[in-house]
Amino acid sequence: MALIELDTKIEFSSKIRPICLPCTTGASWALKQRGKSVTCSDHEKTLLSSELVKAMFVAEETDRALERKDVIIKRGSKIPKQSSQTLRSGLMVVSGLDPAPPLFLTIAILPHVDDVGLIIHLKQDSDHKKRGGARSRPETTIRPDRTRLACLADTKKLETFKDIPDIKDIVTNNFLCTGGVDPQVDPQTCKGDGGGPLIVPYKQRYFQVGIISWGTMNSCKGPKRYPGPVPMLSRDFHTDVFHMMDWLKYNLKEDLEFLN
């Protein structure tokens, strides 16, 4: 991480917006948490509380033109908890519904994600609907490929890391993960993007939660993204700003007021 001091003050406008640094009093104002006894941990919970967090980075796609790239931070570490389920004669019954409708079970294995690549679709029996059974969501999906576990699994497949006993020694909790093709196809970062901010939009404000660091695959042509499909194993990792607060406080203590 590095800090750059500008010689000329930037004038904000409709096209030039500030990016807030979490764990500061200024960020508390932007989060509308001013006047409250908030901590740095509260900011992290506000901005990164979901298992899938919408984020963005800015990249140079054409000469002197920047484009916004929308990505999803994969935060989940476990398969979502579901209601108690029982397999019975090829059908699945979900408890908590009265009466409990039979559900067809469909399983698909994603080739690019090993043990965490299981997708389970639970679809309510149409005959049960006709009989006026209990209402439920038409489909429930458990998608472990969307979690941080999938980021680790895809990284483990790299030739560079295949002999590493525990991939968590490389991809530590100091990194946030984006990339992959589910729940959306995330654009890759390219050479030249490194060091740029990973930003979370929140209530018409922008907060830097990460710093673009490295990726598992490079299908870019220099700093430009290849127009073809994004490789399924592509993952990008970003230094988690919340894990760098001690360094930031030490170097910015004269310029910003930090929270505890």
Side-chain angles (χ1 to χ4, degrees):
M1 179 182 288
L3 298 173
I4 299 175
E5 184 175 357
L6 302 178
D7 291 330
T8 306
K9 183 179 180 180
I10 295 177
E11 297 294 334
F12 295 120
S13 67
S14 60
K15 294 183 179 180
I16 301 177
R17 302 289 298 278
I19 301 175
C20 301
L21 182 65
C23 301
T24 62
T25 54
S28 287
W29 276 72
L31 290 169
K32 301 187 184 303
Q33 296 177 343
R34 58 186 182 274
K36 298 180 180 179
S37 179
V38 296
T39 65
C40 185
S41 178
D42 293 325
H43 282 198
E44 184 175 14
K45 290 176 182 177
T46 299
L47 297 171
L48 296 175
S49 60
S50 302
E51 293 203 346
L52 298 175
V53 180
K54 292 182 179 180
M56 57 174 278
F57 65 93
V58 178
E60 185 178 348
E61 287 294 344
T62 57
D63 291 341
R64 310 181 83 177
L66 297 176
E67 291 185 10
R68 169 176 171 164
K69 301 295 181 181
D70 293 311
V71 293
I72 300 289
I73 301 173
K74 283 73 176 177
R75 294 277 292 171
S77 58
K78 298 179 180 179
I79 298 175
K81 259 188 162 181
Q82 300 293 316
S83 302
S84 176
Q85 300 169 347
T86 310
L87 281 173
R88 189 187 307 162
S89 302
L91 297 178
M92 181 172 278
V93 176
V94 180
S95 66
L97 298 178
D98 187 18
L103 301 169
F104 291 115
L105 174 64
T106 304
I107 297 179
I109 300 296
L110 294 182
H112 66 291
V113 183
D114 292 332
D115 55 329
V116 295
L118 180 66
I119 301 178
I120 303 178
H121 295 282
L122 306 178
K123 198 167 185 179
Q124 188 171 346
D125 182 2
S126 57
D127 291 338
H128 181 81
K129 290 182 180 178
K130 293 176 182 178
R131 296 194 298 269
R135 295 183 63 185
S136 65
R137 289 189 301 178
E139 185 175 279
T140 301
T141 308
I142 306 172
R143 305 186 73 98
D145 55 308
R146 292 183 178 183
T147 70
R148 183 178 173 83
L149 294 175
C151 294
L152 301 176
D154 284 349
T155 305
K156 177 69 175 176
K157 293 177 182 177
L158 291 176
E159 184 72 20
T160 306
F161 302 133
K162 68 176 185 178
D163 296 325
I164 300 295
D166 189 350
I167 195 62
K168 292 180 182 178
D169 292 336
I170 304 298
V171 185
T172 67
N173 288 332
N174 289 331
F175 292 105
L176 299 171
C177 173
T178 63
V181 296
D182 188 45
Q184 68 177 34
V185 178
D186 280 356
Q188 287 180 296
T189 60
C190 296
K191 291 182 178 179
D193 295 333
L198 180 67
I199 303 162
V200 168
Y202 184 85
K203 294 185 177 180
Q204 300 183 330
R205 300 289 188 271
Y206 299 91
F207 300 85
Q208 182 174 356
V209 298
I211 303 164
I212 299 172
S213 297
W214 59 283
T216 59
M217 302 188 70
N218 180 19
S219 59
C220 303
K221 186 177 181 180
K224 305 295 188 266
R225 266 144 283 275
Y226 181 69
V230 174
M232 298 183 78
L233 292 177
S234 175
R235 301 286 181 171
D236 289 307
F237 295 97
H238 317 263
T239 302
D240 189 335
V241 166
F242 287 98
H243 288 211
M244 300 295 294
M245 278 301 152
D246 288 342
W247 188 88
L248 289 168
K249 289 178 181 179
Y250 178 80
N251 287 278
L252 294 174
K253 58 187 175 184
E254 302 298 328
D255 302 287
L256 296 173
E257 183 178 350
F258 285 87
L259 306 178
N260 294 322

